[in-house]
Amino acid sequence: MAQVGFENVLGVVETTSVSCPVGRIIAIEDGRLIVGGLSQFAAMGDLVRIQTPDGFARGEIVRIDDQKIAVLPDVPLEGLGIGVRVALLGAAKLAPDDTWIGRVIDPYGEPLDNKPLLPGTMPRRLTGKPLNPTTRRGLGTRLETGLCVFNTLLPIVRGQRLGLFAGSGVGKSTIMAMLAQRISADVVVIAMVGERGREVREFVERVLGPQGMARTVIVAATSDRSAALRRRCALAAMTVAEHFRDQGKQVLLLADSITRLADAHREIAVSGGESASLRGYPPTTASMITTLCERAGPGEGQMGDITAIFTVLVAGSDMEEPVADILRGVLDGHVVLDRRIAERGRFPAIDVLRSVSRALPLAATEAENKLIAEARRMLGAYERAELMIQSGLYAAGSDAAIDAAIIAWPKLDQFVAQRETQNSEASFASLAQCFDAKSKGTQKGNGDAALATMAQNQ
Ligand SMILES: Nc1ncnc2c1ncn2[C@@H]1O[C@H](COP(=O)(O)OP(=O)(O)OP(=O)(O)O)[C@@H](O)[C@H]1O
Ligand SMILES: [Mg+2]
């Protein structure tokens, strides 16, 4: 153990530059520092160290011309003035270490839990490249998620990238927490981008607890942190995930939320001079999001896989909203949460019909696929007739498919809500029971009873 610590310290010494170019602030405008003397050395996205009245702060280079650079600092501008020293640190890097498991860190790899943290021995650029698509594996085997609906109707496989789309407060973070605790994975890496400060603490202490944290690394940049730091949070989490994947581990990466990441990117890009055009977002937003997502996915050779779940905030479940639209193009599936379902108290509020896992049909056996298709058919038939059923216009017996759907629907609805499960076999067995005429749903609104009442009334 002592040796690991020593190697880590040596790593820090080896990667620390003995000298770095230094410039000075020549102007402060539009929330940016204009710095002279660094143009010849700087690259876009490089980090700088700014001398402040309290010590130092970091910033990110957002614009370069032949005379000066523009820097977006991580701290408010108060106390900074002309002539302040700005040192160039170079590209943003992170050296993840196995000892980071169980810890909460910031995007610089510094601890947020008031305990000492050592960096690893191999610094990685935050802007890593996706693996070559021709050499990486295809999607892997089905994962045990511990949740019925994800074990059956919406299976998650190794290396899959899923989007979780929902309005605010419909249950995105809760689903992520449930998966973080239960899904089969060696390491879980969670990016908390722009969350409220108390949410991070609550998540660590109450939601995940010591058991969940035992295999988890959390990278957090709360909503009060700068846009540059918030954007770097997602990149840092991906870099940590890649560290474990390269060791052959199965990694689950959860990023909450891509919308806040896109908002941070917009803030940075606009202050670098880009104009917002893609329905409110600058054009580079699409490449930023797709490059990040492409870094997740199946590995190659001896590597493990990064299975990733990205949350997206969609107002009024509008899937055409720009961030949702960009993300959907690179995902292997999407899960849509519906506020109306949450409002009637059914959690997780997954709208199964509008959610798709592209791991199907390969992720399930022929018999399992038949059950899934049957469940979707029933839910679809019920949804098409729902208005008529609820307004009393549907006459029982007039359509056999709708009659069957009315009986199965309460059981299916309860099945989606039924959270914990031992394994996929048990989950499929309880899905099969939804179509078993002898097994009755226990929820209010039992379908058989509804049909009987309907028939009596007509
Ligand atoms: N599975 C669940 N079981 C019971 N209640 C739930 C469940 N999921 C969500 N809720 C309720 O919905 C509330 C909001 O959930 P959550 O914080 O997960 O939503 P969110 O979509 O992440 O919200 P935000 O957009 O603010 O990040 C919870 O405080 C809880 O009351
Ligand atoms: Mg949330």
Side-chain angles (χ1 to χ4, degrees), residues 215-238:
R215 59 171 193 168
T216 303
V217 182
I218 295 185
V219 187
T222 45
S223 52
D224 55 318
R225 308 306 297 270
S226 71
L229 213 57
R230 277 179 276 134
R231 182 174 70 173
R232 227 172 291 135
C233 177
L235 301 176
M238 186 61 79

Side-chain angles (χ1 to χ4, degrees), residues 68-408:
K68 53 196 186 303
I69 60 170
V71 169
L72 203 58
D74 281 352
V75 291
L77 300 170
E78 281 75 29
L80 298 175
I82 306 290
V84 165
R85 286 161 61 90
V86 177
L88 185 66
L89 298 176
K93 288 186 180 164
L94 196 65
D97 192 66
D98 297 357
T99 57
W100 288 12
I101 293 177
R103 305 297 305 275
V104 185
I105 61 167
D106 78 0
Y108 290 120
E110 284 167 11
L112 288 173
D113 48 11
N114 297 326
K115 285 183 272 179
L117 181 88
L118 275 177
T121 49
M122 204 183 82
R124 296 163 166 270
R125 286 179 85 108
L126 289 195
T127 49
K129 287 202 169 51
L131 296 173
N132 182 342
T134 61
T135 54
R136 73 185 343 184
R137 290 186 289 272
L139 292 177
T141 51
R142 189 165 75 197
L143 290 168
E144 289 296 342
T145 64
L147 302 172
C148 276
V149 62
F150 289 112
N151 273 1
T152 53
L153 300 172
L154 299 167
I156 304 178
V157 298
R158 287 182 171 190
Q160 189 171 1
R161 286 156 292 189
L162 266 182
L164 195 55
F165 298 82
S168 65
V170 183
K172 298 180 292 299
S173 303
T174 310
I175 290 193
M176 296 239 310
M178 292 195 292
L179 289 172
Q181 286 167 313
R182 298 185 177 91
I183 206 167
S184 54
D186 298 319
V187 180
V188 179
V189 181
I190 304 179
M192 298 183 89
V193 185
E195 295 277 306
R196 293 156 281 243
R198 67 165 173 79
E199 269 178 331
V200 177
R201 189 170 172 172
E202 209 176 281
F203 196 82
V204 173
E205 290 178 1
R206 197 179 56 77
V207 180
L208 278 184
Q211 210 183 338
M213 280 304 287
R215 59 171 193 168
T216 303
V217 182
I218 295 185
V219 187
T222 45
S223 52
D224 55 318
R225 308 306 297 270
S226 71
L229 213 57
R230 277 179 276 134
R231 182 174 70 173
R232 227 172 291 135
C233 177
L235 301 176
M238 186 61 79
T239 310
V240 174
E242 286 167 343
H243 165 82
F244 289 108
R245 177 206 56 197
D246 291 355
Q247 296 177 6
K249 300 229 162 77
Q250 286 300 321
V251 184
L252 173 71
L253 175 83
L254 302 169
D256 193 9
S257 75
I258 297 299
T259 308
R260 298 209 191 102
L261 169 69
D263 290 345
H265 177 79
R266 170 167 54 191
E267 217 175 307
I268 300 163
V270 168
S271 69
E274 223 183 305
S275 52
S277 63
L278 181 73
R279 284 170 289 161
Y281 287 91
T284 49
T285 310
S287 66
M288 188 271 303
I289 292 177
T290 48
T291 313
L292 179 78
C293 296
E294 287 294 350
R295 286 170 68 184
E300 59 184 28
Q302 299 300 308
M303 291 177 182
D305 306 301
I306 301 178
T307 308
I309 300 179
F310 305 102
T311 72
V312 184
L313 183 75
V314 286
S317 303
D318 173 14
M319 298 290 283
E320 305 309 316
E321 193 259 345
V323 179
D325 203 26
I326 295 167
L327 201 58
R328 258 186 318 159
V330 278
L331 294 174
D332 313 304
H334 54 267
V335 176
V336 181
L337 306 187
D338 189 326
R339 190 178 297 283
R340 281 169 308 170
I341 300 178
E343 278 168 359
R344 68 175 163 83
R346 210 277 325 267
F347 288 107
I350 298 174
D351 183 341
V352 175
L353 284 178
R354 293 177 63 212
S355 306
V356 179
S357 168
R358 291 192 196 157
L360 285 173
L362 288 181
T365 63
E366 204 176 319
E368 289 169 347
N369 272 310
K370 272 192 187 145
L371 269 180
I372 295 169
E374 178 71 356
R376 286 189 169 271
R377 205 170 54 76
M378 292 279 183
L379 289 169
Y382 185 86
E383 191 177 285
R384 279 191 301 278
E386 191 173 13
L387 257 183
M388 283 204 307
I389 297 167
Q390 285 179 351
S391 56
L393 292 174
Y394 177 72
S398 47
D399 184 323
I402 297 177
D403 284 351
I406 291 173
I407 294 172

Side-chain angles (χ1 to χ4, degrees), residues 8-62:
N8 292 15
V9 175
L10 271 184
V12 177
V13 175
E14 273 168 21
T15 53
T16 306
S17 346
V18 271
S19 69
C20 57
V22 176
R24 287 188 188 273
I25 297 181
I26 53 173
I28 298 178
E29 56 187 40
D30 305 330
R32 299 167 308 168
L33 308 176
I34 309 299
V35 179
L38 292 178
S39 295
Q40 313 310 316
F41 312 101
M44 281 295 278
D46 276 1
L47 297 182
V48 297
R49 192 177 134 118
I50 309 151
Q51 208 161 34
T52 66
D54 314 319
F56 76 91
R58 278 173 280 213
E60 181 171 326
I61 297 176
V62 293

